[in-house]
């Protein structure tokens, strides 16, 4: 039996959805995008073009829910399905868009540069616990205006796994699309076998900014999946009660699904988010708070009941270094995400709310993910009878190590961690240098990076990608991009 | 009687009871108490208590917000009375704050606004996605000595520089201090664009504002 977390009663889920629909009518949704307002008006919503408020009747949103696919795949760069959005499949990618990196040596934050992100992409490739890449850092060695597309450019040169990404502007989305098309070998090929999903973020409460709304519409029209990242901040930009924050999330996501499906019926879209409970002492947005995880799991349950694929930012920490707080917060969120059956869990490696990526934390988080995955495989009955034959065979002898049954099953029954987790004796630990988890994660990271095999990118594709990215950079006054690191 | 009333006003502000604070201040004015006395012996000590309670962990941000709102609504009744007497409340200073153009992140900026009001600043919060010219116009209108610019995106940080340049262009730069903040903003950026200071959170923004206003 697979263990599952149901955090809301079924009747509460129904009530949340009902109230979500009602919010679409009153007070309605603010939509700062002409294209979307036009689509909504045409579909029959009551649109005030001056105040940019759309009042969306339930039947329009219901139709959108009908046409949104309940399942789709992302493909790796060999063309094989690698990520399944749908059902209760649980997959993981690193937290995205960090504006700083925790330096491996000093363990202090600094702005990331090209070499950091490339190293990160390689590490993600090498960690089997991670199913997808993300555009995890914003490099500070290029002009800000291309911060979004440059990350994708770098990743596309080194990755095999699919990628979770996002655009910061309306125009740069087109450059990012052009690069994805180049890699996929055409627009149709990309739509047929998408290799990327774009995060699109409504602003709480109940607002679609021009930029993110346009990104979502453009994705839908081209057939690139998008992922809703609704982020009610309970007590600040959303009601303080957890259930009410989930209602706000529901309304924001319903409006997103509606606009997306009006742009193109059947476009793949994910019910996701990054909510938080507001920290009432510091005014921050803690991702490591149990209340945050509860809102996440609740809206995932709502999304599932509507038949949509799901996503959540979970498994992160608000700590500033890789310490006990980082471990405890990341474990809690990751395990809850796994139990809730979130299709894509974004967050590995992330510290300091959602602002800092750490190589070492990523390596440690991979172990947490390994354990969480094992947990949701559940306890299975492998033999019938379960134990009678096994125990009667040995009687009172404690000799199971020599039993073929043990060799047959132990690797499937147990999750066996890497050297990051210390399970040796005190003596052995002292002899090995009395290392901390951080030390061991640093060593394991280096080991994995040594084993990274470059993806064979043809000279033609490499040149085309560089041409596209450089062209965009020149539009913003940067003549040449930094050279790509070797390998 | 008047001492009793001032104590009650103090208590209401500390509790964040906006309606009661307003009523009691009206009563106090009607009973002939001087507006300046209501401020000095009612409102200011109340906000000091609130500040202390926040510092020691007893109060949280919502308490602070409620108390600041109670004080502000009391001040609305008091200010016309001050004007009649040709008096002015010498607060900590006047600040114009907002999230810069292209950026709609609200909460950090609003929090700074609340904390500044709670610490005696007169705050003009222009909201989010504020055009460069709106900052300049508001500084001109209010004679503010402090401008706070928030930006949560790497793509909108550059607008902070534009506001500073516009203040220079309008000949206002010498009389205002500019402070900048927001997740991607660091001290180095503040130095680069010629801001007078950077604060990483709302609490340090208050310290910075006091220092810049020469009251810290």
């Amino acid at each position: 039996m697979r263990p599952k977390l149901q955090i809301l009663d079924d009747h509460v889920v129904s009530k949340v959805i009902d109230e979500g629909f009602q919010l679409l009518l009153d007070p309605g949704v603010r939509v700062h995008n002409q294209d979307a307002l036009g689509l909504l008006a045409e579909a029959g919503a009551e649109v005030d073009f001056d105040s940019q408020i759309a009042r969306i009747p339930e039947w329009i949103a219901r139709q959108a829910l009908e046409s949104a696919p309940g399942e789709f795949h992302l493909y790796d760069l060999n063309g094989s399905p690698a990520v399944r959005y749908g059902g209760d499949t649980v997959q993981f990618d690193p937290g995205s868009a960090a504006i700083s990196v925790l330096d491996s040596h000093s363990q202090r934050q600094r702005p990331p540069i090209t070499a950091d992100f490339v190293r990160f992409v390689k590490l993600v490739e090498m960690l089997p616990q991670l199913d997808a890449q993300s555009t995890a850092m914003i490099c500070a060695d290029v002009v800000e205006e291309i911060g979004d597309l440059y990350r994708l450019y770098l990743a596309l040169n080194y990755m095999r796994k699919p990628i979770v990404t996002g655009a910061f502007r309306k125009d740069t989305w087109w450059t990012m699309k052009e690069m994805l098309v180049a890699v996929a070998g055409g627009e149709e090929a990309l739509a047929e076998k998408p290799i990327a999903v774009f995060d699109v973020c409504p602003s709480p409460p109940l607002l679609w900014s021009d930029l993110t709304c346009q990104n979502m519409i453009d994705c839908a029209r081209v057939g690139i999946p998008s992922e809703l990242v609704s982020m009610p901040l309970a007590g600040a930009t959303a009601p303080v009660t957890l259930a009410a924050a989930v209602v706000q999330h529901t309304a924001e996501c319903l409006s997103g699904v509606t606009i997306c499906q009006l742009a193109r019926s059947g476009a793949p879209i994910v019910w996701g988010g990054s909510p938080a409970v507001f920290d009432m002492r510091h005014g921050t947005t803690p991702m490591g708070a149990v209340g945050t995880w509860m809102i996440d799991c609740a809206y995932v349950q709502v999304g599932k009941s509507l038949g949509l694929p799901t996503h959540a930012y979970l498994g992160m920490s608000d700590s500033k270094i890789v310490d006990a707080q980082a471990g405890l917060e990341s474990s809690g969120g990751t395990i809850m995400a796994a139990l809730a059956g979130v299709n894509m869990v974004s967050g590995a490696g992330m510290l300091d709310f959602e602002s800092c990526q750490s190589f070492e934390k990523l390596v440690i988080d991979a172990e947490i993910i390994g354990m969480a995955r094992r947990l949701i495989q559940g306890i299975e009955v492998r033999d019938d009878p379960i134990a009678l034959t096994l125990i009667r065979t040995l009687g009172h002898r404690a000799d199971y190590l020599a039993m073929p049954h043990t060799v047959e099953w132990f690797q499937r029954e147990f999750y066996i961690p890497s050297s990051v987790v210390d399970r040796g004796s005190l003596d052995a630990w002292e002899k090995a240098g009395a290392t901390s988890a951080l030390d061991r994660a640093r060593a394991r990271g280096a080991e994995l990076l040594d084993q990274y095999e470059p993806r064979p990118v043809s000279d033609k594709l490499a040149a085309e990608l560089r041409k596209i990215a450089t062209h965009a950079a020149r539009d913003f006054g940067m003549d040449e991009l930094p050279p790509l690191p070797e390998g | 009687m008047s001492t009793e009333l001032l104590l009650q006003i103090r208590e209401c502000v500390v509790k964040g009871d906006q309606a009661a604070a307003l009523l009691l201040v009206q009563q106090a004015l009607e009973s002939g108490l001087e507006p300046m006395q209501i401020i000095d012996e009612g409102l200011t000590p109340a906000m000091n208590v609130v500040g202390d309670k926040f510092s020691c962990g007893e109060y949280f941000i919502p308490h602070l917000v409620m108390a600041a709102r109670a004080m502000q609504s009391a001040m609305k009744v008091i200010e016309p009375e001050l004007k009649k007497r040709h008096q002015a409340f010498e607060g900590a200073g006047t600040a114009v704050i907002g999230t810069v153009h292209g950026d709609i992140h609200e909460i950090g900026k609003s929090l700074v606004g609340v904390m500044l009001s709670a610490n005696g600043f007169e705050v003009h919060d222009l909201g989010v996605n504020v055009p460069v010219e709106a900052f300049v116009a508001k500084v001109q209108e209010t004679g503010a000595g402090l401008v706070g610019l928030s930006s949560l995106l790497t793509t909108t940080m550059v607008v902070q520089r534009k506001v500073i340049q516009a203040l220079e262009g309008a000949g206002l730069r010498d009389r205002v201090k500019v402070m900048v903040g927001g997740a991607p903003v660091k001290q180095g950026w503040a130095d680069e664009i010629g801001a007078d200071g950077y604060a990483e959170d709302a609490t340090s923004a208050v310290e910075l504002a006091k220092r810049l206003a020469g009251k810290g």
Side-chain angles (χ1 to χ4, degrees):
Chain A
M1 188 203 93
R2 174 173 167 174
K4 265 192 196 175
L5 176 68
Q6 298 277 334
I7 201 160
L8 299 174
D9 271 346
D10 287 345
H11 79 272
V12 177
V13 172
S14 305
K15 200 163 163 47
V16 163
I17 294 170
D18 177 54
E19 290 193 17
F21 280 124
Q22 291 192 48
L23 287 179
L24 296 187
L25 270 178
D26 178 13
V29 183
R30 293 176 292 161
V31 182
H32 292 174
N33 177 280
Q34 289 305 312
D35 206 347
L37 285 172
L39 289 169
L40 287 163
E42 202 179 307
E46 185 194 315
V47 173
D48 182 334
F49 284 87
D50 290 331
S51 65
Q52 299 185 305
I53 290 176
R55 297 174 187 275
I56 308 169
E58 181 171 336
W59 64 268
I60 300 179
R62 289 246 179 232
Q63 255 176 13
L65 288 170
E66 285 290 310
S67 65
E71 179 180 348
F72 67 89
H73 287 85
L74 292 184
Y75 292 77
D76 64 22
L77 295 201
N78 297 321
S80 309
V83 163
R84 174 186 178 237
Y85 274 101
D88 288 328
T89 310
V90 176
Q91 296 142 123
F92 297 86
D93 75 307
S96 64
I99 52 171
S100 61
V101 60
L102 201 68
D103 186 274
S104 278
H105 297 286
S106 68
Q107 291 295 305
R108 286 292 177 269
Q109 292 190 23
R110 62 172 172 76
I113 55 168
T114 300
D116 296 310
F117 183 51
V118 168
R119 190 169 154 234
F120 193 85
V121 170
K122 291 179 181 176
L123 195 53
V124 173
E125 284 300 311
M126 295 307 295
L127 288 164
Q129 293 92 339
L130 292 164
D131 303 277
Q133 291 277 355
S134 78
T135 35
M137 297 173 190
I138 303 173
C139 296
D141 51 349
V142 295
V143 286
E144 276 121 18
E145 290 87 346
I146 63 160
D148 53 359
L149 66 95
Y150 184 65
R151 310 173 296 171
L152 183 63
Y153 163 68
L154 291 179
L156 286 173
N157 276 283
Y158 297 89
M159 70 185 209
R160 292 179 175 83
K161 296 176 181 179
I163 189 161
V164 179
T165 188
F168 303 156
R169 304 169 55 104
K170 286 201 280 191
D171 51 353
T172 48
W173 181 90
W174 289 95
T175 312
M176 294 173 79
K177 184 213 115 187
E178 205 182 337
M179 289 193 281
L180 291 169
V181 167
V183 171
E187 206 163 288
E188 271 170 34
L190 181 64
E192 197 181 316
K193 290 188 171 184
I195 55 174
V197 59
F198 276 75
D199 282 349
V200 289
C201 316
S203 309
L206 300 165
L207 166 67
W208 281 96
S209 71
D210 186 27
L211 146 76
T212 197
C213 194
Q214 194 63 49
N215 285 168
M216 179 170 67
I217 290 172
D218 292 340
C219 277
R221 288 186 176 145
V222 173
I224 297 173
S226 52
E227 187 164 82
L228 295 160
V229 184
S230 161
M231 42 189 128
L233 190 48
T237 63
V240 73
T241 43
L242 304 187
V246 180
V247 171
Q248 183 173 312
H249 177 279
T250 303
E252 288 182 358
C253 283
L254 283 173
S255 66
V257 173
T258 305
I259 295 168
C260 167
Q261 295 303 304
L262 290 174
R264 195 175 69 85
S265 182
I269 186 150
V270 183
W271 189 271
S274 185
V277 293
F278 192 63
D279 186 283
M280 293 300 184
R281 220 187 279 287
H282 304 100
T284 50
T285 58
M287 307 314 296
V290 67
T292 297
W293 309 339
M294 291 165 79
I295 300 173
D296 276 297
C297 293
Y299 83 65
V300 164
Q301 198 179 329
V302 170
K304 282 177 186 292
S305 82
L306 293 169
L308 290 171
T310 55
H311 155 273
Y313 270 94
L314 276 166
M316 289 174 286
S317 171
D318 307 317
S319 180
K320 314 301 178 278
I321 54 172
V322 184
D323 62 353
Q325 184 183 338
L328 83 89
E329 291 177 339
S330 303
S331 299
T334 304
I335 284 176
M336 281 187 57
L339 289 171
V342 185
N343 295 149
M344 184 59 78
V345 185
S346 300
M350 212 61 149
L351 289 166
D352 192 8
F353 313 102
E354 287 178 11
S355 67
C356 177
Q357 262 295 358
S358 155
F359 300 97
E360 291 72 31
K361 181 173 184 289
L362 184 76
V363 171
I364 296 172
D365 287 352
E367 297 302 331
I368 302 174
I369 292 169
M371 292 186 194
R373 275 191 204 283
R374 175 62 194 90
L375 172 68
I376 57 170
Q377 279 160 14
I379 295 180
E380 283 186 44
V381 172
R382 312 284 194 184
D383 306 278
D384 185 23
I386 301 171
L388 289 181
T389 319
L390 295 168
I391 293 174
R392 283 175 183 159
T393 307
L394 289 193
H396 294 122
R397 281 186 298 129
D399 199 20
Y400 289 97
L401 278 175
M403 215 185 203
H405 183 266
T406 303
V407 188
E408 186 188 344
W409 284 107
F410 82 94
Q411 281 171 308
R412 278 176 283 181
E413 285 291 278
F414 303 167
Y415 170 72
I416 299 176
S418 76
S419 55
V420 168
V421 180
D422 172 47
R423 289 181 181 163
S425 68
L426 176 62
D427 266 0
W429 176 73
E430 278 174 350
K431 274 184 198 142
T435 57
S436 67
L438 173 63
D439 300 326
R440 296 188 296 273
R442 195 186 276 130
R444 173 149 168 82
E447 217 171 86
L448 288 170
L449 283 166
D450 276 347
Q451 293 162 22
Y452 170 83
E453 301 237 355
R455 180 168 70 89
V457 181
S458 73
D459 290 348
K460 185 168 166 268
L461 176 60
E464 192 178 351
L465 289 173
R466 190 153 186 94
K467 197 176 130 203
I468 297 168
T470 307
H471 184 79
R474 286 187 182 150
D475 282 349
F476 299 107
M478 187 174 187
D479 286 343
E480 281 305 323
L481 295 173
L484 281 184
E486 287 295 308
Chain B
M1 172 62 196
S2 66
T3 328
E4 177 62 22
L5 208 49
L6 286 168
L7 271 176
Q8 283 177 356
I9 289 174
R10 215 184 285 187
E11 211 172 289
C12 286
V13 172
V14 171
K15 279 199 302 203
D17 189 337
Q18 209 173 322
L22 190 63
L23 209 69
L24 287 167
V25 168
Q26 273 163 346
Q27 261 181 46
L29 288 169
E30 279 160 21
S31 76
L33 272 178
E34 276 301 305
M36 211 47 111
Q37 193 187 355
I38 302 176
I39 295 174
D40 290 343
E41 293 172 37
L43 302 181
T44 306
M47 290 315 288
N48 289 340
V49 172
V50 170
D52 290 346
K53 282 180 184 284
F54 183 70
S55 301
C56 74
E58 183 189 337
Y59 263 22
F60 291 83
I61 292 167
H63 300 122
L64 225 54
V65 175
M66 298 302 282
R69 293 271 160 94
M71 192 192 76
Q72 281 162 354
S73 63
M75 282 305 289
K76 283 220 173 78
V77 203
I78 292 176
E79 260 157 10
E81 295 298 320
L82 283 175
K83 274 212 180 111
K84 276 188 210 161
R85 292 164 177 74
H86 304 288
Q87 292 172 328
F89 171 56
E90 282 272 327
T94 303
V96 170
I97 64 165
T99 305
V100 298
H101 185 65
D103 201 324
I104 55 166
H105 289 88
E106 180 133 39
I107 195 71
K109 178 269 307 163
S110 301
L111 204 55
V112 170
V114 165
M115 298 286 274
L116 287 177
S117 336
N119 282 276
F121 282 86
E122 182 186 330
V123 178
H124 299 270
D125 185 342
L126 299 179
V128 298
N129 194 17
V130 179
V132 173
E133 315 80 58
F135 284 105
V136 177
K138 201 69 184 176
V139 169
Q140 264 160 347
E141 178 198 325
T142 59
L146 201 60
V147 174
L149 306 173
S150 173
S151 165
L152 266 288
L153 302 170
T154 51
T155 44
T156 55
M157 277 164 67
V158 283
V159 185
Q160 294 181 334
R161 190 204 303 264
K162 287 187 188 155
V163 177
I164 293 177
Q165 287 166 345
L167 288 167
E168 277 164 10
L172 295 168
R173 186 66 186 92
D174 294 342
R175 48 172 250 227
V176 289
K177 300 283 185 187
V178 178
M179 46 194 248
V180 293
V185 177
K186 299 273 180 280
Q187 184 63 51
W189 173 249
D191 296 341
E192 190 186 323
I193 63 172
D196 297 295
Y198 142 83
E200 58 168 11
D201 57 29
T203 317
S204 41
V206 172
E207 299 306 315
L208 175 67
K210 284 182 177 168
R211 192 152 47 76
L212 292 177
K215 308 260 161 104

